[in-house]
Amino acid sequence: MPPRPARGSAERESTLALVRSLRAEILEAHREVLDAQRTLRDELLAVLTAPAATAPPAQPPAPPAPPRAPKPEGVVWDEQDLLEFATGKIGNVFGPRYARIDGYARRVRLPAPPYLFATRVTQLDAEPGEFRPSFIRTEYDVPEDAWYAVDGQVPPAVTIEAGQCDLLLISYLGADFTNRGRRVYRLLDSTLSFVGDLPRTGQTLRYDIWIDQFVRQGDTLLFFFHYDCYADGELILKLTNACAGFFTDEELEASPGLVQGRAARAQAPAEKRSFKPPARTERTSLTTTDLDALAEGRIADVFGEGHRQPPGCNPSLRLPDGRLRMADEVTVLDRTGGRHGLGRIEAVKRLDPDGWYFTSHFPDDPVLAGSLVAEGAVQLLEVYALSLGLHLTLPDARFQPVPDLTTEVKVRGQITPRTERVEYRIDITELTLLPRPALVADVVVLRDGTPSISVTGLGIRLREKPGTPYRPEAGGEVPHFLGRLSPATGEPALLNEFHMAHAAKGDLAVAMGPEFEIYANSRAPYIPNGDFLFVDRVMRLDGTRGTLRPGAVMVTEYDVPEDAWYYADNGHPYMPNCVYMESSLQAAILLGYYLGATLPFPEERFSIRNLDGRATLLKDLDLRGRTVQHRSTLLSSDRMPGSILQNFAYELSCDGEVFYTGESLFGYFNEKALARQVGLDKGQSVPPWLDARPARPPGTRRIGLPAFRERTAGTAPRPAGGHLDLVEWLDVLPGGGEHGQGYLRGHRTIRPDEWYFSCHFHRDPVMPGSLGVEALLQGLQVYAVETGLTEGLRNPRFALLRGTETTWSYRGQILRDDPDMKFDVHIKEIRREPGRIVITGDGHVWKSDLRIYRLGDLGIEIHHD
């Protein structure tokens, strides 16, 4: 073979040439920046070193000012100096060398009162005429009677704006000597992150402000800065990556607003998520009168009785008064809108060209402060939080920033007195009760219809005031009202949605009391979470922690949403069996766990599993939009090696009418005990009935569920789907099975990313047994359609079997790494009655070849007109 040529010789030469070219370009650009900075410095030094007499007076000299008292030690400029800088003459503050700037029509100023939030400058590291990294330290004494405070708390706008002395610093460096009144200051970009709570009246805010870099783009000077904000010495806010510059009127008018490509990306499809709010409202828009009511704390008057709390609760959860209000009306309040399905808000603020927000910012260059625009968005998030009922989860809380959340602000258009209206488009991106109720959003602000400002990652949370009770005390006692009234009875709840969220996926000590702090750094049992959590509140507990005796009772509640996912996913809008089962079982689990079943064994890593049960649906009620009450009673609690077994009785009722009863046995198992599970047949492989036949019986048909759904689309009744799509294929044999009345066998491949694994349970993912049962019921539905039981019926629809006790035994679990689930049902009876057809049978579930569930008298009904 001929020798291979040396690799890469030409490529190396090409690469080296490219590197040399880039290096030359970088060096040239660097020289240009240095030359521009030297030129600017020389210009400024020339002006600053020129005789003072050469500076033309801006107007006839004013009479001499009365002598001032000397400044306190450590003060560079005091409050009077800063007010003079904002509204008077710069020469009176920085000295006569700056007097010529007062002759220009516009210069860099601080905002005038009421938006001047600087009391003194205490440190300065800067040289006039030298555009190099510089530093200034300022302080602001928050008045006790501050006009902007909400129940003694400083709003975000003021907290951010009080770091305004980057303006003072850039002016001191001499920016206006080259601006000459033709260019004005505008902030372009910044990144905010709160690391502490908002400040309070009476505190002193300190701002350490650094200008980091200067860049010339043609005649435009840009500078980059950052600051740290301290409240009485505690760091609470960091502003980074801030960029500001000086622009002509023509450049500002030519701004196209936000880049359209970025706006288009913001509208790209996103994963839809769900959040169950503590309360629901019919309001989809709000008037100025409504916003005034929210500023007075009258939440229930705006959003409805389900939002009411007793008098004295949450006096701080209200909007600022009209002076700081940055929205006149909310035009859209959509709880399920937005790209993520978590909510969308639209609002408008009509601007007054003579409004204080223009005349104070700035006296000779009126423009709406970006901090006020952000404040409007924050206020709208507060409105949305109240509309969801988040205030019901705590008795005395404040709106606070979400700690360590990165918020990015981009400004690409100025809002001036010529602007008639500002519009907000807010898309909720995160919504949670953990670790405190909070929401995060992306915001686009339009000026007269042009998208001009974006705020990405803006968040608020509700946090209890220091010393406010927010969780059970030792022993599980709840002596204080924790914020929630039952929407059904109006009675105070012991624990609410906030505590259930922690019991499902948060801090167990918040949910159940300080004894559960032992689980802070270890895995522990949780109740299900997310779409599979069906308990909202604990209303009453008759029992004592540590005393696991029969007769203890817990009463809990669950609010059934009218638009719950399981109504949409079910074949007919009735509550599926898995929700009846799970709601009752979760309430029972909560009783035993809250009483402290596992607390004596802190070294054990327990998992909770349902073992046996029986339940009867007494009445088929339409529960949409209603509250279900659970009454759970402890029947027994026994300690065994590696496990704790507890038996419960329960009943579910609505408006006093009992509709579901049952009894169930649970076990807490350590890892060793859980590993010993051998199924229902002591580890032996017992195949499904159909697989045990010597040959496939004639008449057996295989039905693929995707094809079945496509074939029956638009007809009634339809099988379940979505979260309840639990079957891949079925084998159907009329007249088969152990009872000779019919038989079906089903299969589902298990994927590790199945939705229910993340919901059941936190840190201990396992397929819910109730969903295994639901798969059998879905198989019966398909069997009914496929064998012609629904033919000729008028308006047929599936429903649950009433009046028959269903039993179950679980002796195994389906985990993420299991390959598949199989099941079968032996039909026992098909009974026709006026208005309905009843189908009952016995069933089994396998994980691979191990039989793990047994079910008796499982059934469905087919209702028809």
Side-chain angles (χ1 to χ4, degrees):
M1 295 180 62
R4 298 177 62 183
R7 290 189 57 197
S9 56
E11 293 178 2
R12 280 197 300 272
E13 287 301 321
S14 175
T15 301
L16 289 173
L18 178 60
V19 169
R20 286 192 291 269
S21 174
L22 290 173
R23 182 185 299 159
E25 291 180 13
I26 292 171
L27 290 173
E28 180 61 26
H30 184 61
R31 279 194 295 270
E32 289 179 1
V33 171
L34 292 176
D35 290 344
Q37 291 183 344
R38 280 194 291 269
T39 300
L40 180 61
R41 183 193 62 191
D42 293 344
E43 291 178 2
L44 294 175
L45 288 174
V47 172
L48 291 170
T49 56
T54 62
Q59 57 186 32
R68 293 186 52 192
K71 296 181 179 63
E73 185 178 354
V75 174
V76 180
W77 292 299
D78 61 16
E79 190 169 11
Q80 184 176 338
D81 293 324
L82 299 177
L83 180 61
E84 177 71 15
F85 179 83
T87 61
K89 296 181 180 299
I90 188 174
N92 292 341
V93 181
F94 292 163
R97 298 298 182 188
Y98 288 80
R100 67 177 297 174
I101 295 174
D102 288 317
Y104 300 140
R106 297 176 297 186
R107 67 168 174 85
V108 178
R109 293 182 183 269
L110 287 171
Y115 217 56
L116 175 59
F117 304 127
T119 305
R120 67 190 67 84
V121 175
T122 61
Q123 190 172 332
L124 180 69
D125 181 7
E127 290 295 332
E130 294 193 17
F131 278 66
R132 61 176 178 79
S134 306
F135 172 80
I136 190 170
R137 173 172 289 167
T138 69
E139 293 180 349
Y140 173 53
D141 299 331
V142 182
E144 292 285 359
D145 60 348
W147 64 270
Y148 45 75
V150 178
D151 195 25
Q153 180 166 283
V154 179
V158 176
T159 308
I160 296 167
E161 183 63 37
Q164 56 199 202
C165 279
D166 67 289
L167 292 157
L168 190 73
L169 181 55
I170 194 67
S171 176
Y172 182 74
L173 293 176
D176 279 320
F177 286 115
T178 56
N179 290 332
R180 299 188 178 96
R182 297 191 294 268
R183 291 181 173 273
V184 292
Y185 170 98
R186 293 294 182 266
L187 180 65
L188 299 178
D189 299 327
S190 61
T191 300
L192 296 164
S193 180
F194 279 90
V195 296
D197 288 346
L198 290 168
R200 304 293 310 282
T201 55
Q203 290 189 306
T204 294
L205 305 184
R206 188 187 91 214
Y207 293 84
D208 291 348
I209 306 170
W210 293 264
I211 293 182
D212 304 306
Q213 185 181 6
F214 301 87
V215 174
R216 275 280 186 187
Q217 291 186 350
D219 294 330
T220 302
L221 174 65
L222 301 177
F223 67 96
F224 298 84
F225 66 99
H226 73 280
Y227 71 59
D228 292 341
C229 169
Y230 298 81
D232 286 351
E234 179 183 353
L235 179 66
I236 63 168
L237 169 65
K238 298 176 74 68
L239 179 141
T240 59
N241 304 319
C243 175
F246 297 94
F247 305 93
T248 65
D249 293 336
E250 294 76 15
E251 289 169 342
L252 292 172
E253 288 299 321
S255 173
L258 295 175
V259 177
Q260 294 303 309
R262 188 177 187 278
R265 286 194 299 273
Q267 298 302 316
E271 178 189 358
K272 295 288 184 179
R273 300 194 292 272
S274 63
F275 175 82
K276 184 187 177 187
R280 298 189 178 231
T281 181
E282 299 298 321
R283 300 298 303 272
T284 58
S285 62
L286 301 177
T287 65
T288 300
T289 301
D290 294 324
L291 297 178
D292 289 340
L294 294 179
E296 296 169 2
R298 296 190 286 117
I299 302 169
D301 292 349
V302 175
F303 294 118
E305 283 301 308
H307 290 68
R308 191 169 301 282
Q309 290 182 304
C313 280
N314 283 316
S316 302
L317 297 185
R318 54 185 176 86
L319 298 181
D321 64 23
R323 195 175 190 185
L324 193 63
R325 189 92 45 76
M326 293 308 295
D328 297 327
E329 62 177 308
V330 177
T331 55
V332 173
L333 197 64
D334 183 356
R335 185 181 63 80
T336 59
R339 296 170 54 236
H340 299 276
L342 297 175
R344 181 168 176 81
I345 315 160
E346 297 183 9
V348 62
K349 169 72 174 177
R350 298 174 186 85
L351 298 175
D352 177 2
D354 298 319
W356 70 267
Y357 38 77
F358 285 133
T359 58
S360 67
H361 189 276
F362 300 99
D364 53 17
D365 176 30
V367 62
L368 189 65
S371 58
L372 281 175
V373 176
E375 175 67 23
V378 168
Q379 293 169 13
L380 293 169
L381 293 187
E382 292 172 352
V383 169
Y384 191 61
L386 297 177
S387 78
L388 297 174
L390 298 188
H391 61 290
L392 302 173
T393 62
L394 293 165
D396 193 12
R398 291 187 182 276
F399 289 121
Q400 296 286 4
V402 177
D404 300 317
L405 176 69
T406 298
T407 302
E408 295 184 355
V409 181
K410 293 187 179 297
V411 181
R412 296 298 182 266
Q414 60 177 352
I415 299 172
T416 71
R418 297 190 302 276
T419 308
E420 295 183 359
R421 55 192 276 145
V422 171
E423 298 170 78
Y424 292 87
R425 303 287 184 267
I426 300 180
D427 188 359
I428 307 299
T429 59
E430 297 180 38
L431 195 48
T432 184
L433 295 177
L434 299 174
R436 293 297 184 273
L439 56 155
V440 179
D442 292 340
V443 183
V444 174
V445 180
L446 297 83
R447 54 185 177 102
D448 290 340
T450 300
S452 301
I453 301 173
S454 71
V455 186
T456 303
L458 181 69
I460 64 166
R461 66 171 177 162
L462 281 70
R463 181 168 177 81
E464 69 279 358
K465 296 175 183 176
T468 299
Y470 65 92
R471 70 176 190 176
E473 295 184 353
E477 295 294 322
V478 188
H480 306 284
F481 176 63
L482 297 184
R484 187 68 158 115
L485 300 176
S486 165
T489 66
E491 298 175 2
L494 292 181
L495 306 175
N496 59 53
E497 290 86 343
F498 168 63
H499 305 96
M500 295 304 98
H502 276 281
K505 202 176 180 180
D507 183 346
L508 291 171
V510 171
M512 302 186 188
E515 294 95 327
F516 284 81
E517 290 173 358
I518 61 174
Y519 296 125
N521 299 311
S522 64
R523 200 199 76 190
Y526 288 84
I527 62 175
N529 65 81
D531 283 350
F532 222 59
L533 174 58
F534 303 122
V535 180
D536 289 328
R537 292 173 295 280
V538 176
M539 299 302 301
R540 190 172 76 249
L541 173 64
D542 299 326
T544 303
R545 178 161 293 170
T547 303
L548 297 167
R549 294 175 183 165
V553 174
M554 178 178 278
V555 176
T556 57
E557 290 184 344
Y558 171 60
D559 299 330
V560 181
E562 291 190 20
D563 59 351
W565 64 266
Y566 45 80
Y567 285 123
D569 290 354
N570 212 0
H572 180 67
Y574 66 87
M575 182 178 284
N577 179 76
C578 63
V579 180
Y580 286 111
M581 289 185 71
E582 282 294 330
S583 188
S584 56
L585 298 180
Q586 290 172 21
I589 289 172
L590 198 59
L591 169 57
Y593 199 23
Y594 195 84
L595 290 177
T598 64
L599 290 179
F601 316 102
E603 72 286 353
E604 295 280 16
R605 288 167 56 94
F606 284 115
S607 294
I608 190 165
R609 298 292 186 265
N610 187 203
L611 296 176
D612 298 300
R614 53 190 178 88
T616 304
L617 178 65
L618 304 176
K619 298 179 180 179
D620 188 7
L621 300 181
D622 186 351
L623 298 170
R624 286 173 290 183
R626 304 172 71 183
T627 297
V628 173
Q629 189 175 79
H630 323 89
R631 179 183 175 89
S632 305
T633 303
L634 179 64
L635 300 179
S636 65
S637 182
D638 299 296
R639 168 70 173 164
M640 303 180 69
S643 63
I644 303 165
L645 301 181
Q646 294 187 319
N647 198 29
F648 300 89
Y650 47 81
E651 64 178 29
L652 275 57
S653 62
C654 183
D655 295 333
E657 184 176 15
V658 177
F659 62 87
Y660 189 78
T661 63
E663 184 178 319
S664 198
L665 176 68
F666 293 91
Y668 293 91
F669 299 96
N670 65 17
E671 293 175 312
K672 186 176 180 180
L674 206 60
R676 290 198 297 262
Q677 288 183 326
V678 293
L680 291 165
D681 305 299
K682 300 181 180 180
Q684 299 299 310
S685 177
V686 176
W689 177 87
L690 186 62
D691 293 349
R693 303 303 96 195
R696 188 175 180 87
T700 304
R701 285 176 290 159
R702 175 156 294 185
I703 302 163
L705 264 292
F708 176 83
R709 287 191 174 87
E710 184 177 350
R711 175 162 49 86
T712 59
T715 64
R718 63 181 179 88
H723 277 357
L724 299 178
D725 181 3
L726 301 168
V727 182
E728 287 181 49
W729 53 258
L730 287 170
D731 286 331
V732 171
L733 179 60
E738 293 177 350
H739 308 293
Q741 300 297 311
Y743 177 82
L744 61 95
R745 181 185 65 170
H747 177 272
R748 176 180 180 82
T749 299
I750 302 300
R751 302 188 311 272
D753 62 347
E754 300 273 15
W755 69 272
Y756 47 76
F757 282 130
S758 61
C759 297
H760 188 272
F761 301 97
H762 179 51
R763 299 179 182 167
D764 182 24
V766 59
M767 181 180 183
S770 60
L771 287 184
V773 176
E774 198 69 34
L776 275 66
L777 295 173
Q778 191 176 121
L780 284 174
Q781 293 174 352
V782 175
Y783 180 93
V785 173
E786 194 66 21
T787 58
L789 291 175
T790 61
E791 289 182 4
L793 300 180
R794 181 179 178 184
N795 189 25
R797 52 203 180 273
F798 293 125
L800 290 179
L801 179 64
R802 292 169 294 164
T804 299
E805 183 179 82
T806 298
T807 62
W808 63 88
S809 292
Y810 300 154
R811 294 297 184 271
Q813 55 186 345
I814 295 176
L815 305 176
R816 287 186 190 270
D817 56 357
D818 284 320
D820 59 10
M821 175 188 78
K822 295 181 286 192
F823 63 87
D824 70 3
V825 179
H826 301 261
I827 295 174
K828 295 166 63 175
E829 182 183 23
I830 299 176
R831 186 173 73 250
R832 296 180 181 269
E833 298 177 356
R836 69 171 184 165
I837 301 174
V838 178
I839 310 173
T840 59
D842 298 328
H844 310 88
V845 174
W846 287 258
K847 57 179 278 180
S848 297
D849 295 326
L850 189 67
R851 189 164 64 122
I852 57 174
Y853 300 175
R854 178 189 297 115
L855 296 112
D857 291 321
L858 186 73
I860 64 169
E861 296 183 3
I862 306 169
H863 294 180
H864 57 93
D865 297 339

